[in-house]
Amino acid sequence: MSTHEAAPQTPRAPEAETPVRFDTKIAVLLREDLETWQRLNVTAFLVSGLGKQFPEVIGEPYEDADAVGYLPMFRQPVLVFEGTKETLTTAHARVLPRALFTSDLFTTGNDRDNRAAVRAVATADLDLVGLAVYGPKNAVDKVLKGARMHP
């Protein structure tokens, strides 16, 4: 290598920076009596709509050291909580944009039937098993009052 050529650069880890703090929160509230597979399924379904409704929650695409690209994900953590059926009913009544999952959706197999199952039940009669909310931290905390972090 001549004295005019630059030495090859090896990728370095990003230097320690001030931690990113968010003034918003993404949270999922699950009914405490769900089976493990139901908790995972409900969580995945509930958060799936947030990026469409709130594009600011989606970060940039990922890329590994070999330049293989990956899909973007949420730019902030998703906090998962659990509570009683009553906790979900109370949380649902607190006004904040939300996604919902009812027990009826465990028996359907597609989006059209899911929407029809929700549409067939009055708000007061919904058998809620999960909610997802996004918004300012303090507003989300008010919605989740009475819930506890998922173990």
Side-chain angles (χ1 to χ4, degrees), residues 138-151:
N138 60 350
V140 172
D141 289 343
K142 285 179 185 176
V143 169
L144 298 173
K145 187 174 181 177
R148 60 192 171 278
M149 288 294 293
H150 189 280

Side-chain angles (χ1 to χ4, degrees), residues 19-126:
V20 175
R21 303 274 187 232
F22 297 99
D23 57 355
T24 58
K25 186 181 278 189
I26 299 171
V28 172
L29 174 57
L30 301 172
R31 200 166 72 193
E32 64 188 1
D33 62 347
L34 297 180
E35 295 181 36
T36 301
W37 74 267
Q38 292 173 317
R39 291 171 186 258
L40 296 169
N41 184 266
V42 170
T43 300
F45 267 92
L46 286 172
V47 298
S48 68
L50 291 177
K52 175 87 172 162
Q53 187 69 30
F54 304 104
E56 69 272 13
V57 301
I58 303 297
E60 296 297 319
Y62 286 71
E63 185 177 282
D64 65 25
D66 294 322
V68 175
Y70 302 94
L71 296 173
M73 297 185 284
F74 290 132
R75 64 183 179 96
Q76 66 190 88
V78 176
L79 303 173
V80 181
F81 295 81
E82 68 175 7
T84 63
K85 183 175 182 172
E86 293 76 22
T87 302
L88 267 89
T89 300
T90 301
H92 181 264
R94 296 182 176 128
V95 180
L96 194 66
R98 64 208 175 267
L100 84 155
F101 199 103
T102 68
S103 62
D104 295 329
L105 303 187
F106 289 126
T107 63
T108 59
N110 60 72
D111 186 54
R112 182 192 67 232
D113 292 343
N114 287 349
R115 286 182 283 108
V118 172
R119 189 173 29 255
V121 180
T123 303
D125 297 327
L126 292 169

